[in-house]
Amino acid sequence: MSTPTADVARQAPPARPATARTPASTAALAGTGYLLRFMLRRNRVRLAVWTGSLVAFCGYYVVAIAAVYPTAADRQNRADSIANAGGTLLAGPGYGLEDYTIGRMFANEMALWLMALLATMNILLIARNTRAEEASGRTELVRALPIGRHAGTVAAFLMVMIADAAFALFGSALMISAGQLAAADTFTLLTGVALTALVFAAVTTVTSQLTVHSRGASGLAFAALAAAVLIRGIGDIQQEHGSWLSWLSPIAWTQQTRPYADVRLWPLGLSVLAIVVALVVGAVLASRRDLGGALLHGRPGPAAAAPSLASPFALVVRQQRAALLWWLVGCVAMFGPAGLFLGADSGDALQRIAEQNELTETIFGDDPILAFLAIMMLHNALAVAVFTTASVLRVRTEEDEGRLGLGLSRPTSRTNALLAHLAVAGIGALVLLVAGGALPLWAGASLSGGDTSLLILLKSAGAFALGIAVLIAFTAVLYAWVPRASALAWVFCGIIVVERFFGSVLQLPTAVKALSPFWWVGSYPNAPLDPAHLAGLGVAAAALLALAVAGFRRRDLSAG
């Protein structure tokens, strides 16, 4: 007969050997390597396209500039034409303008845009792989495994750091070999570009703790990027080669390394310090909030929605109004200062640019002012093309995450649901073309004493709106009929960019150029509009729209 003590002894589990406690810092990063490999595989196409495109652009630019400005006199004429407030705002502090070499031209005129583009890649990728994953609920599933609190953020940052390092390495090698540029200066410049982009990646890890949506996190980071560009520009205008205000911007830290003039490395230490500080701040903030929460709490809405918000169109407007607002701010910030070039003496300045060589003479033609307006409105239209493509493709996200199906459970037709997204994209395009392009250009020209016709700019915006309509309808057709091929809309965007920028240089056949709706718009106001071409764009957009509606009504939804 057993005693109670013996029964308890038999039922008790064996004692576990004592194990060393894992440090909290190590536990918070557990699984980082696994997540890094997963993110690299998941984003391999995006990383390859972004990085490869920027590297190719670096090589193309140094070769093209050497062909366009073959002599020292040509390059010096170029330097003289941008030695003004507008040139400083849109380029750099102007180191080496007195002896303008190919390297100095690249550092002064292209470094700013490379930093902006690489920072854009970093912001989008960090937001997508951190805040968006958390909002969708996938982070909670991953954290059910032995994964540390900060592993996802660190893995996302390491991913963009690898991509930026690849850009700096391969871009430097291509520029050195193709342009015969100084190796030390080239590597210093592109390393600075990569470090500046990483500053904004680190900033995005901070903004991702503030809002519950990836759009809000990326929007705040883009606002920081725009502020940095503006502060640097204003600071460089205040004083030659930059004032104290310039040093408040991460953009200036790379430009102040003075590549190809008198290179120095210590300003890059400021970028490294900013990266470390932002990452630490992001980690501290992440430790102070719940998973799925945010530090900036949204205001609770009313108990009952207004009747005007019950329609699919009103819902889409609320979803995309923030993105449209930030795109509008960016366009105004870009094309308002560009209008300052169109002052009272702009004709003479633009004529000097047109007379630099045969290529610029061909681009600017007989009326450099109208040619400049055509170039600016084209850039505005290309920016709007990117916005509208992303706006239309958002309906794919709504379907994948089940919200579209939930909305269709109400008395709402599929046609109305699809047209609501397309209408918001179209109205947003008109807003950006008019309020983000035509009006800022006209206002900038008026403030600088120029005499630019607002009617001409509005006609140009209207013509490009028809081209944008074709792009919107084509993207809708892809989504409606072959949702998995929706990303091909970005390929179509790429075709438009290549045809407009490089069609003549690459001598593309007319059949290829005709694939771009902007080719049918032409170069108005530098060349007259063709009513038949505009009518054809309208017909094509209507036909594609009907095809998209028919396809969307026939197929099953993937979720919801």
Side-chain angles (χ1 to χ4, degrees), residues 334-335 373-385 464 501:
M334 176 67 67
F335 298 105
L373 292 176
I375 293 172
M376 289 299 101
M377 289 304 295
L378 171 63
H379 282 74
N380 178 228
L382 292 173
V384 175
F464 277 117
F501 282 160

Side-chain angles (χ1 to χ4, degrees), residues 415 418-419 422-423 469-470 472-474 476-477 480-481 538-552:
T415 300
L418 178 62
L419 292 180
L422 302 186
V470 174
I472 291 174
F474 176 78
V477 168
W481 288 91
V539 171
L544 289 171
L545 179 61
L547 184 62
V549 170
F552 187 61

Side-chain angles (χ1 to χ4, degrees), residues 309 311-322 324 420 423-424 427:
L309 297 178
S311 67
F313 177 79
L315 175 62
V316 178
V317 169
R318 286 186 67 88
Q319 289 177 325
Q320 302 205 30
R321 62 184 181 182
L324 176 59
V424 170
I427 294 173

Side-chain angles (χ1 to χ4, degrees), residues 16-79:
R16 295 181 179 179
T19 57
R21 181 179 296 274
T22 303
S25 59
T26 304
L29 299 178
T32 300
Y34 293 103
L35 289 180
L36 174 60
R37 289 193 292 273
F38 170 73
M39 290 181 185
L40 287 172
R41 177 176 176 80
R42 181 191 182 201
N43 297 280
R44 62 188 184 276
V45 175
R46 289 180 175 86
L47 292 171
V49 170
W50 271 99
T51 307
S53 299
L54 293 178
V55 168
F57 175 77
C58 291
Y60 168 81
Y61 184 86
V62 295
V63 173
I65 286 300
V68 175
Y69 301 97
T71 67
D74 292 333
R75 293 190 291 272
Q76 200 57 45
N77 196 11
R78 170 70 178 176

Side-chain angles (χ1 to χ4, degrees), residues 198-220:
L198 288 174
V199 169
F200 292 100
V203 168
T204 311
T205 67
V206 175
T207 61
S208 294
Q209 316 309 321
L210 303 180
T211 68
V212 295
H213 298 294
S214 63
R215 299 190 304 277
S218 58
L220 290 173

Side-chain angles (χ1 to χ4, degrees), residues 250-266:
I251 301 292
W253 301 339
T254 293
Q255 294 179 330
Q256 290 296 332
T257 57
R258 303 185 300 206
Y260 308 107
D262 184 16
V263 67
R264 54 184 179 180
L265 299 178
W266 68 263

